[in-house]
Amino acid sequence: MYTGFNLENISVPEIHLTKEWDVLFSEYKRKMHSTLHEYTTQNGMIDGKKIQDDWFPEVKANIFISHSHADEPKAINLARWLYDRFDLVAFVDSCVWGYADELLKEIDDRYCWNSDRNSYIYERRNYSTSHVHMMLMTALNKMIDKTECVFFLNTKNSISLANIESETLSPWIYGEIEITRTIRKQTPEREETRTYSKGGMLERLGSGLNIKYPVDISHFNSIDMGILTTWNRCERKGTDALDELYKITGLIPHRV
């Protein structure tokens, strides 16, 4: 990851269908319907790495979009617009990892039933959940590390203000933001950014359970409609378009 951007009060043209972008993720979705039997070794153990490779695969992308589950349509439209306008691939976790609950249920149905099969054994259910969520968090770390920048969709669904402090009820948003604060910063291997570098999903809230987390996004650069409009005039594509965004937001200076 090189840097992150806080997108607040922004909108982009609605892209009803971008076949190329959707095709990028269709193959990953197809793999996610393998059964547990395919991951069980000869001694009866489940191969966790194979599950993670298939259900939470690494995707080659330029941008990681962090968003509230309620803003999924907005995140997908932004990803399609970025691909349609700049040839930039944006990763939306729910489009690839949105079946984690199905994986968890499959594990629970096989290993966690009580003897009467009317309910799950509490301790086993906690154990299975810890495994799946750890796989997902590991995948999040890897994806954020490998993408060049993070776009955070800052909406009322993702962040609320209380006593002037930003807070979120989403453990996944909290985790993603904290990852961006602590993960290594990597300067892209391109001449402009190398020369002028500044030395920056599964959201299922339980019924009645709301836990708040403080969110510090001060390390993100802001993108508002003015910046987005200016960037939209850019005729460059791919990583060249990202370089232009870095110039507009002051991450790297314009060359004279």
Side-chain angles (χ1 to χ4, degrees):
M1 173 186 158
Y2 172 54
T3 191
F5 293 99
N6 173 32
L7 281 65
E8 192 169 8
N9 299 319
I10 63 99
S11 63
V12 297
E14 187 171 353
I15 308 296
H16 295 284
L17 179 64
T18 304
K19 182 178 179 181
E20 294 83 358
W21 184 84
D22 291 278
V23 166
L24 287 173
F25 297 99
S26 61
E27 178 63 17
Y28 297 109
K29 287 185 177 181
R30 185 189 65 78
K31 292 181 178 179
M32 294 175 189
H33 295 284
S34 299
T35 64
L36 282 181
H37 177 74
E38 298 178 46
Y39 303 115
T40 304
T41 62
Q42 290 183 346
N43 60 6
M45 291 187 178
I46 294 177
D47 190 325
K49 185 178 186 305
K50 285 186 178 179
I51 290 180
Q52 182 162 339
D53 289 345
D54 282 357
W55 285 74
F56 308 114
E58 294 181 35
V59 179
K60 188 175 181 180
N62 305 106
I63 298 167
F64 182 101
I65 298 180
S66 177
H67 65 94
S68 164
H69 178 71
D71 291 324
E72 181 182 44
K74 187 174 183 178
I76 291 175
N77 187 64
L78 175 61
R80 287 173 171 166
W81 178 78
L82 288 166
Y83 190 81
D84 182 69
R85 181 65 186 80
F86 298 114
D87 290 337
L88 289 169
V89 177
F91 179 79
V92 180
D93 58 1
S94 57
C95 291
V96 181
W97 301 337
Y99 299 93
D101 282 345
E102 293 181 18
L103 169 63
L104 186 55
K105 188 175 188 309
E106 188 171 349
I107 294 174
D108 291 341
D109 285 347
R110 181 169 176 177
Y111 293 100
C112 300
W113 283 116
N114 273 302
S115 57
D116 58 11
R117 297 189 69 82
N118 287 325
S119 61
Y120 293 130
I121 298 172
Y122 178 77
E123 292 80 9
R124 291 184 184 177
R125 181 68 171 77
N126 286 348
Y127 187 61
S128 64
T129 301
S130 68
H131 272 285
V132 173
H133 284 185
M134 185 56 65
M135 290 179 190
L136 178 55
M137 185 54 68
T138 300
L140 284 170
N141 271 278
K142 289 181 178 179
M143 276 304 304
I144 292 175
D145 181 57
K146 288 181 178 296
T147 51
E148 187 167 316
C149 59
V150 172
F151 280 13
F152 173 57
L153 283 183
N154 187 345
T155 73
K156 63 181 181 180
N157 295 318
S158 56
I159 283 187
S160 62
L161 292 177
N163 300 322
I164 315 301
E165 292 184 356
S166 296
E167 296 176 339
T168 183
L169 297 178
S170 167
W172 299 109
I173 287 178
Y174 173 70
E176 289 167 3
I177 298 302
E178 287 302 301
I179 289 171
T180 66
R181 288 173 54 80
T182 57
I183 207 164
R184 60 177 178 171
K185 300 303 185 290
Q186 304 177 84
T187 303
E189 290 298 321
R190 301 191 295 278
E191 181 61 30
E192 288 183 290
T193 49
R194 185 168 65 248
T195 303
Y196 296 106
S197 171
K198 276 188 177 182
M201 100 209 34
L202 287 177
E203 188 174 328
R204 310 285 192 262
L205 293 180
S207 177
L209 175 63
N210 291 318
I211 302 175
K212 66 179 183 179
Y213 301 88
V215 177
D216 182 359
I217 54 175
S218 59
H219 59 298
F220 282 175
N221 302 282
S222 294
I223 292 181
D224 55 20
M225 276 308 298
I227 291 176
L228 201 63
T229 300
T230 300
W231 190 34
N232 190 35
R233 300 192 193 105
C234 166
E235 296 301 325
R236 305 173 80 178
K237 298 289 185 179
T239 54
D240 287 341
L242 280 180
D243 287 342
E244 192 65 24
L245 177 62
Y246 300 153
K247 291 177 183 178
I248 294 169
T249 54
L251 276 171
I252 59 175
H254 286 271
R255 287 183 171 178
V256 180

